Amino acid sequence: MIPSQRQGEGDARSSAKPPVRKGRDFVARHGETVFNAAHRLQGDAAHTPLTRAGFAQADELGRALRGVLGVKPALTLWASPTGRALQTLAVICEHLELDWHDARTDARLVEIDMGSWGGRYYADVVDEVGSVMLPGGTLKPAPDGETYAEIAARVGGWLADTAEDPGDRLVIMHGISSRVMLGVMTGAVVDPVLGAPVAKGLPQGSVTLVENGRATVPHRGTGFAPA
């Protein structure tokens, strides 16, 4: 199992743009999972396996990154400790000819905690409380779940703690948490409704490149787009 490292509390300064790292960050969203296919609210569930479509998306992502980075690139590997992120990373590592066991995980990279809504069908929650989707494809926080400001604090803390990582790095994470982290990394304006900087959403299997505080999308996946 990949060891978990540098797990700690977030940083309340997450809404401010962090210092620019000496290297590029490739922040990727995992492939489609069985929860996505069943229209369940996934949240921070520890292990919801990839579907065949999800593995195909990871395959496409791996090929795209090989085209950008080449074979055996000097790359620091990070991932959310969830099974779906690690499965996606494993496929990518095959394409890059890197050792999956060299990767590090951190719990601060997990998806939004959806509280008592987590694991439930979207339709059932909607029947009870109305729409759980907000403008821009973000999720409404559950009453007993995590807020976007709390996500910004934890991913901001991770960014601060890993600011000295050398060179390029690849980070495999999730739809909502990656959007907040990219918002923090690029100094996006704090959303007045969500209370945190949130980047535009991308489909599953996508990767965003952040270099010198600026974001581009070298590969857009074919998975589920909202969130």
Side-chain angles (χ1 to χ4, degrees):
M1 179 176 292
I2 294 177
S4 179
Q5 298 187 12
R6 302 180 190 169
Q7 297 184 22
E9 293 301 318
D11 187 329
R13 298 169 299 153
S14 59
S15 60
K17 191 172 179 178
V20 176
R21 266 197 347 104
K22 296 178 181 178
R24 298 177 295 176
D25 284 301
F26 293 85
V27 181
R29 186 179 178 190
H30 65 75
E32 180 192 76
T33 73
V34 294
F35 267 44
N36 300 141
H39 303 292
R40 288 179 179 269
L41 282 156
Q42 193 158 224
D44 61 346
H47 187 43
T48 53
L50 298 183
T51 60
R52 286 182 295 173
F55 278 110
Q57 291 155 13
D59 229 12
E60 293 169 1
L61 182 50
R63 282 192 291 270
L65 286 171
R66 179 168 173 142
V68 174
L69 297 167
V71 177
K72 298 184 184 299
L75 194 63
T76 301
L77 302 172
W78 279 100
S80 156
T82 58
R84 56 196 183 274
L86 296 176
Q87 286 180 314
T88 301
L89 176 62
V91 174
I92 292 170
C93 283
E94 285 191 57
H95 284 278
L96 298 180
E97 298 184 26
L98 296 177
D99 187 352
W100 178 89
H101 297 88
D102 289 337
R104 287 172 279 184
T105 66
D106 196 298
R108 290 173 291 182
L109 300 174
V110 299
E111 184 57 300
I112 183 174
D113 179 357
M114 293 303 294
S116 57
W117 293 355
R120 298 184 61 195
Y121 288 107
Y122 276 85
D124 290 343
V125 177
V126 169
D127 285 344
E128 290 181 9
V129 304
S131 177
V132 295
M133 298 301 297
L134 297 172
T138 51
L139 286 171
K140 180 188 297 183
D144 58 347
E146 188 175 27
T147 67
Y148 282 75
E150 289 170 335
I151 299 171
R154 65 172 161 88
V155 298
W158 180 81
L159 287 168
D161 288 350
T162 62
E164 299 303 316
D165 278 353
D168 294 344
R169 64 183 178 185
L170 171 64
V171 186
I172 310 297
M173 48 193 303
H174 308 270
I176 294 294
S177 59
S178 67
R179 291 180 64 176
V180 175
M181 191 165 84
L182 289 167
V184 172
M185 293 171 77
T186 58
V189 175
V190 173
D191 186 291
V193 175
L194 301 176
V198 182
K200 184 178 179 180
L202 291 169
Q204 291 155 340
S206 298
V207 62
T208 300
L209 165 60
V210 179
E211 185 174 14
N212 297 322
R214 303 175 72 94
T216 57
V217 181
H219 175 72
R220 184 180 179 90
T222 58
F224 187 64

